[in-house]
Amino acid sequence: MTASAADRADVLLVGNPNSGKSLLFSRLTGIAQKVANYPGVTTEVRSGHAGGLVIHDYPGIYSLEPLTLDERVAIERLEKALADPGTKAIVCVLDATRLERSLYLLLELLPRARAVHVPVIAAVNVIDELVGPSARLDPLGLSSAVGCHFIGVSAKTGQGLDELRATLHHLDREPPWDERCAVPASIEDRKRLARRLTRAHGPRDDVLLKSQERIDRVFLSTALGLPVFLLVMAILFQAIFTWAAPLMSLVKDGVAAAGTFVGGLLPAGIAHDFVQDAVFAGIGAFLTFVPQIFILFLVIGALEDSGYLARAAVLLHRPLGWFGLSGRSFLPLLSGHACAIPAMMAARTIESPRRRLITVMVIPFTSCSARLPIYALIIGGFIPAVSLVKGLIGLQGLVFAGVYVFGIVNALLAAAVLDRLTRRKLGGRLGDAPFVVELPPYRVPGVKPILVAAASRSWSFVRRAAPVIFAVVVVVWALGYFPHGSGHLEQSWLASLGHLLEPVFRPMGADWKSAVGIVSSFVAREVFVGTMGTLNGLEEAGEHLAQLSSALQLGGMGLASALALLVFYATSLQCASTLVVMRKETGTAKAPLLAFVSMSTLAYVGAVVTFHIARALGAT
Amino acid sequence: MGEAGLDFENQSQYKGCMRNLAQLPPGARARIDGFGTELRPEVGRRLRELGFMDGNVVRCVRRAPFGGPRVYAVSGAAFALEMNIAAHVLLGPADGDDGVRG
Ligand SMILES: Nc1nc2c(ncn2[C@@H]2O[C@H](COP(=O)(O)OP(=O)(O)OP(=O)(O)O)[C@@H](O)[C@H]2O)c(=O)[nH]1
Ligand SMILES: [Mg+2]
């Protein structure tokens, strides 16, 4: 769309955190925007088209005076938009189940918008949850009392959206506001008006608040709160390993079958070798692990939808405080297990700038999904699949959980160190906002939405990772193929290069092939599996592809080297995009530099120490 | 940074003076009567915007383990508030503040 400011039609979605702006945005534009039952999910303005309108989804705000960074982002953009003639309307999204609180922002916003002649529409969302005897919503009464359009909508069921669209399209034909409805100027008077309006036109009783308190009796209980939290986390990490297994073998068999089929079509020669060794062995090795990433996104998605995460933030606020973090750091650290980049942006909601800085810097310690393939490869190949406690827990699953715990412990320790380092310098300078978290209602996660969201997140991960892996794999394959062709890996250029690198990685028990894998993965860590797969393919020289993990064992990798590799990947920061985003989020190049150097050093030293300890304990 | 002195109920400096929100036991209600003078104005403003303002009745819903934030119900919503902030919210004379569970 190329439209000048005059006939561009911007519609802003503003409102309290967790009122459903992003879900409404997705409904209106068809763009999948991140939605979760947690206040403070959107931390950046996102825009999309809907029938000639440009819709903007804003981070949630409680008022026009920002306290946290995400609020500042929203309010600065809002101020700019108010002065822009292209702004056609503001849709203030209210939560029907939290009407009194939602109305306050509307009442603060109205006079500002009226002053610049921007019409405001109040979309009272979540009306699908207004059921039972106390349910009531009187949009007409509210409209005439406040002097702007009130429309009851549900972003979940789609109810009322046609009316909202129609109102947006016909705005200019109607008198935009009613001058007779004056809005009080003081906070107290606005709050009182909000209460009066709710009593007169809103739900009669707070049924939802009461039922949420009953559930909180368990989740926030002094005795059960922590055990339940640990149980939830244990299920999360166990799920990635056990539930993904059937899906993984499906993909593995699929890739193998496709490889055999395509290989049969091509005549022997360089093209055949390339397709077999680089495409199927390299990219295929990576694809095998995508199901685990999908399950991870699925479980995190279910948690995000349930409303439990805000409770976890409250529960962990004090314990995380001992490490210089905040309860608000929990969600960023948890989503770091999916990907560090959105996690660092989620840290914008943290009330203290210093704790936010610390959170952003330690997020890369958490085991992101790109590390998952490497863990799965090593654990699947080197840890025996014995079951413990009568088949309830597998040893592999246990080691898997152990690696995740290792990442979390590292993050906490690093946070404590950074806390010490920055306390003197930044402690007084950066003013802290209070820790205030609204507890959202509990909801049963919808099966279809979280499946769709997990699938689309996995797909976008694959789409981002695959080209990089492919590019590296092509280089690795070419260096490994020439000058003698497939099956002569030891005489290839790559081998000469690898033998040059080998001494550096020898102390951690890595041979030249692992050394090549490690070096190639400095672009992005998920490249490692692709590289190893390609090397395996080159070595096997077109025979039936052995499973990558057993190929590593045959290639002479022992348990000690494997464990060292595991520790190395659990600790190292091998992700260029993480460094770029960290720079942006902290506003200084010092942060990513420090993170990269210290994490790489720790990874190397940790791997060397692990190798030698494992050796001393009798591992080969 | 508020690291120290979070256990307000045991702190002598808070004993005897006017009661504050941090001292409100779970299940009890009270009416808010101003803010402590040390509270930063922008924080006070936000608390008022959320409903922690003069004359409003607040109910302490529950406390989190480890002396963490407490949950308060006000203005039809539930907020978890850190204790070192709650301590600056002053409470008026007893008003329906008889430990009724709600
Ligand atoms: N039942 C119901 N749930 C809804 C509705 N709209 C949104 N939700 C849920 O409310 C939660 C918050 O939705 P979001 O769209 O992420 O809210 P937001 O306003 O963008 O929140 P922030 O980005 O944190 O400010 C999610 O769990 C949604 O699934 C609705 O109309 N009905
Ligand atoms: Mg949002």
Side-chain angles (χ1 to χ4, degrees):
Chain A
M1 282 234 315
T2 49
S4 70
D7 50 43
R8 205 184 60 225
D10 288 316
V11 172
L12 325 179
L13 295 181
V14 296
N16 286 155
N18 212 43
S19 56
K21 300 174 295 299
S22 299
L23 192 59
L24 192 61
F25 173 83
S26 305
R27 275 277 182 173
L28 293 174
T29 61
I31 297 173
Q33 167 73 314
K34 174 118 178 77
V35 167
N37 192 8
Y38 182 87
V41 174
T42 309
T43 54
E44 252 190 347
V45 179
R46 179 134 185 233
S47 313
H49 293 276
L53 303 171
V54 186
I55 315 277
H56 304 273
D57 179 26
Y58 276 59
I61 50 178
Y62 281 112
S63 81
L64 298 179
E65 294 291 326
L67 272 188
T68 51
L69 183 59
D70 56 323
E71 288 185 318
R72 193 163 320 135
V73 169
I75 290 163
E76 274 166 13
R77 278 290 291 265
L78 181 63
E79 302 280 357
K80 231 183 269 161
L82 281 173
D84 183 347
T87 303
K88 179 171 175 160
I90 296 176
V91 173
C92 186
V93 182
L94 315 186
D95 181 342
T97 66
R98 301 274 193 278
L99 193 60
E100 183 181 335
R101 187 213 59 197
S102 310
L103 277 167
Y104 174 81
L105 177 67
L106 175 73
L107 294 177
E108 192 181 13
L109 185 65
L110 265 181
R112 297 289 306 275
R114 284 174 181 170
V116 292
H117 301 260
V118 173
V120 174
I121 299 173
V124 187
N125 195 23
V126 204
I127 51 168
D128 58 297
E129 283 189 1
L130 285 187
V131 286
S134 62
R136 176 183 59 173
L137 184 74
D138 173 17
L140 287 178
L142 285 165
S143 296
S144 60
V146 181
C148 75
H149 288 288
F150 273 76
I151 303 171
V153 299
S154 167
K156 187 183 170 190
T157 63
Q159 208 180 332
L161 292 190
D162 286 335
E163 191 187 343
L164 178 62
R165 282 192 200 99
T167 314
L168 278 173
H169 282 288
H170 298 106
L171 258 186
D172 6 35
R173 276 192 247 143
E174 297 174 69
W177 59 86
D178 190 341
E179 295 287 1
R180 287 166 306 169
C181 305
V183 171
S186 85
I187 298 177
E188 276 73 13
D189 289 339
R190 280 198 293 264
K191 288 297 293 187
R192 275 191 274 275
L193 178 57
R195 169 162 304 174
R196 261 205 318 280
L197 290 170
T198 307
R199 293 226 167 115
H201 308 287
R204 288 197 187 83
D205 187 27
D206 242 311
V207 193
L208 282 171
L209 206 59
K210 290 211 177 103
S211 76
Q212 120 182 14
E213 279 174 21
R214 270 196 294 279
I215 306 178
D216 278 338
R217 251 177 245 170
V218 177
F219 286 135
L220 283 180
S221 120
T222 328
L224 289 175
L226 196 65
V228 169
F229 170 76
L230 293 176
L231 186 70
V232 169
M233 291 299 115
I235 293 173
L236 169 69
F237 292 120
Q238 189 68 25
I240 306 168
F241 203 77
T242 44
W243 297 356
L247 277 175
M248 283 175 76
S249 43
L250 208 71
V251 175
K252 201 182 291 171
D253 295 346
V255 169
T260 317
F261 177 72
V262 176
L265 294 181
L266 291 169
I270 182 164
H272 174 272
D273 292 345
F274 175 77
V275 168
Q276 284 287 32
D277 306 339
V279 179
F280 282 99
I283 304 280
F286 164 72
L287 283 184
T288 313
F289 299 103
V290 173
Q292 286 191 319
I293 293 171
F294 171 74
I295 297 279
L296 175 77
F297 287 155
L298 194 67
V299 181
I300 291 187
L303 268 180
E304 285 175 343
D305 248 13
S306 67
Y308 179 66
L309 293 182
R311 275 72 185 184
V314 172
L315 201 66
L316 297 180
H317 182 64
R318 282 282 283 154
L320 285 173
W322 301 327
F323 300 95
L325 300 167
S326 150
R328 283 268 189 193
S329 308
F330 171 70
L331 180 76
L333 287 173
L334 180 73
S335 32
H337 288 90
C339 176
I341 290 158
M344 287 189 283
M345 296 180 59
R348 288 181 181 183
T349 59
I350 293 172
E351 67 287 351
S352 144
R354 195 168 67 94
R355 292 180 178 195
R356 173 168 169 261
L357 176 73
I358 296 175
T359 308
V360 167
M361 289 194 65
V362 304
I363 280 172
F365 276 108
T366 58
S367 290
C368 74
S369 50
R371 285 177 170 119
L372 232 168
I374 303 164
Y375 294 171
L377 175 67
I378 295 172
I379 291 174
F382 293 88
I383 306 293
V386 294
S387 69
L388 312 166
V389 200
K390 298 199 182 96
L392 215 60
I393 313 172
L395 181 62
Q396 291 187 336
L398 209 62
V399 174
F400 205 69
V403 188
Y404 275 95
V405 171
F406 178 70
I408 294 164
V409 169
N410 280 341
L412 291 178
L413 293 180
V417 171
L418 286 171
D419 184 36
R420 278 288 143 76
L421 289 179
T422 57
R423 188 171 291 174
R424 175 96 36 87
K425 232 174 125 195
L426 300 175
R429 194 152 61 81
L430 301 173
D432 281 4
F435 176 83
V436 183
V437 174
E438 182 171 358
L439 298 181
Y442 286 101
R443 292 198 176 103
V444 179
V447 177
K448 202 180 143 218
I450 61 169
L451 276 174
V452 170
S456 90
R457 283 166 88 181
S458 314
W459 173 237
S460 74
F461 175 71
V462 172
R463 238 185 14 203
R464 219 166 356 98
V468 179
I469 297 177
F470 186 70
V472 175
V473 157
V474 167
V475 173
V476 169
W477 178 83
L479 288 173
Y481 191 77
F482 296 108
H484 302 295
S486 204
H488 301 88
L489 187 58
E490 284 297 338
Q491 289 83 41
S492 69
W493 292 332
L494 191 65
S496 325
L497 198 71
H499 287 300
L500 275 179
L501 294 171
E502 198 177 350
V504 181
F505 295 98
R506 175 100 308 196
M508 54 182 268
D511 63 357
W512 75 264
K513 280 177 268 180
S514 306
V516 166
I518 292 170
V519 171
S520 71
S521 67
F522 268 95
V523 188
R525 46 174 77 89
E526 59 272 25
V527 165
F528 178 79
V529 174
T531 304
M532 297 313 277
T534 304
L535 290 177
N536 175 31
L538 283 167
E539 206 155 39
E540 295 280 313
E543 290 162 38
H544 189 67
L545 265 183
Q547 214 173 306
L548 183 52
S549 51
S550 39
L552 289 181
Q553 277 169 316
L554 290 175
M557 189 188 281
L559 180 61
S561 322
L563 290 176
L565 212 54
L566 202 60
V567 168
F568 181 85
Y569 275 101
T571 322
S572 65
L573 204 180
Q574 294 167 301
C575 177
S577 341
T578 298
L579 295 173
V580 173
V581 175
M582 188 184 286
R583 210 223 104 121
K584 193 169 148 253
E585 290 297 307
T586 57
T588 159
K590 273 192 244 162
L593 202 67
L594 175 69
F596 179 74
V597 171
S598 57
M599 288 180 70
S600 304
T601 313
L602 277 176
Y604 185 75
V605 173
V608 172
V609 169
T610 307
F611 178 67
H612 286 284
I613 291 179
R615 267 298 189 62
L617 291 176
T620 49
Chain B
M1 294 294 305
E3 254 92 340
L6 281 149
D7 197 3
F8 290 96
E9 277 160 55
N10 301 328
Q11 288 237 335
S12 52
Q13 66 183 103
Y14 287 95
K15 272 198 184 130
C17 61
M18 192 189 265
R19 291 185 332 137
N20 62 56
L21 197 54
Q23 294 166 319
L24 192 67
R29 292 164 199 273
R31 201 172 283 279
I32 292 176
D33 186 22
F35 294 108
T37 44
E38 316 93 282
L39 195 67
R40 294 214 316 275
E42 65 270 29
V43 177
R45 182 192 161 103
R46 171 53 55 90
L47 290 176
R48 277 151 62 212
E49 288 165 341
L50 296 180
F52 296 91
M53 61 176 213
D54 279 17
N56 259 9
V57 174
V58 189
R59 180 165 51 91
C60 179
V61 180
R62 59 172 36 262
R63 59 174 116 202
F66 321 109
R70 289 192 180 181
V71 183
Y72 299 97
V74 68
S75 283
F79 296 95
L81 211 63
E82 210 175 1
M83 297 285 276
N84 59 352
I85 300 295
H88 295 296
V89 181
L90 308 179
L91 300 179
D95 178 309
D97 168 26
D98 41 23
V100 239
R101 304 236 153 216

